Amino acid sequence: MGAGGCGAAGRGSWARGQEAGRPDLAKMFDKREVMIAVRDGVKLHTEIYTPRDAKEALPIVMMRTPYGISAGGKGYSRMLYENADLFADGYIFVFQDIRGRYGSEENLR
């Protein structure tokens, strides 16, 4: 839940109001897009964001979603902003489309 008991519906207006003050993600993170194969061979679209100033091993936050991870024009994922409170702690962020959705493959055997 968001601040003040607002669920997902309440987050949209907050996010629109915060866009002007958002950090430049391209200056903060290196982005890699990979297709990761799961046990049955289906490949899942995955975006990995590593802090640019990383000098040591870092913890990872991983999220899978059916709603699409890519930003328009293949820019930096909007999912990063949902984790902005963790930026200073130096996490690697990994976002993945679930099977059969957006950039991931589906095996219909």
Side-chain angles (χ1 to χ4, degrees):
M1 287 225 151
C6 293
R11 279 188 238 147
S13 60
W14 177 87
R16 283 189 295 277
Q18 296 297 317
E19 288 178 18
R22 286 185 171 182
D24 183 353
L25 297 176
K27 290 181 180 177
M28 298 175 66
F29 295 96
D30 289 319
K31 175 185 175 183
R32 262 189 319 152
E33 286 190 68
V34 295
M35 296 295 284
I36 297 179
V38 294
R39 186 172 33 202
D40 64 358
V42 172
K43 294 178 183 163
L44 304 180
H45 174 240
T46 307
E47 293 182 1
I48 303 167
Y49 296 91
T50 306
R52 286 191 179 266
D53 60 355
K55 294 175 180 52
E56 59 188 343
L58 298 173
I60 297 171
V61 172
M62 181 172 181
M63 298 176 162
R64 287 186 174 152
T65 181
Y67 302 111
I69 58 175
S70 295
K74 288 291 190 178
Y76 281 64
S77 176
R78 67 193 173 284
M79 291 179 71
L80 275 170
Y81 292 115
E82 296 173 12
N83 295 283
D85 55 333
L86 299 176
F87 289 175
D89 296 325
Y91 284 90
I92 295 170
F93 296 96
V94 179
F95 305 126
Q96 192 172 66
D97 289 323
I98 64 170
R99 84 173 36 236
R101 302 290 291 165
Y102 295 89
S104 291
E105 298 175 347
E106 174 61 87
N107 186 351
L108 300 175
R109 286 189 255 168

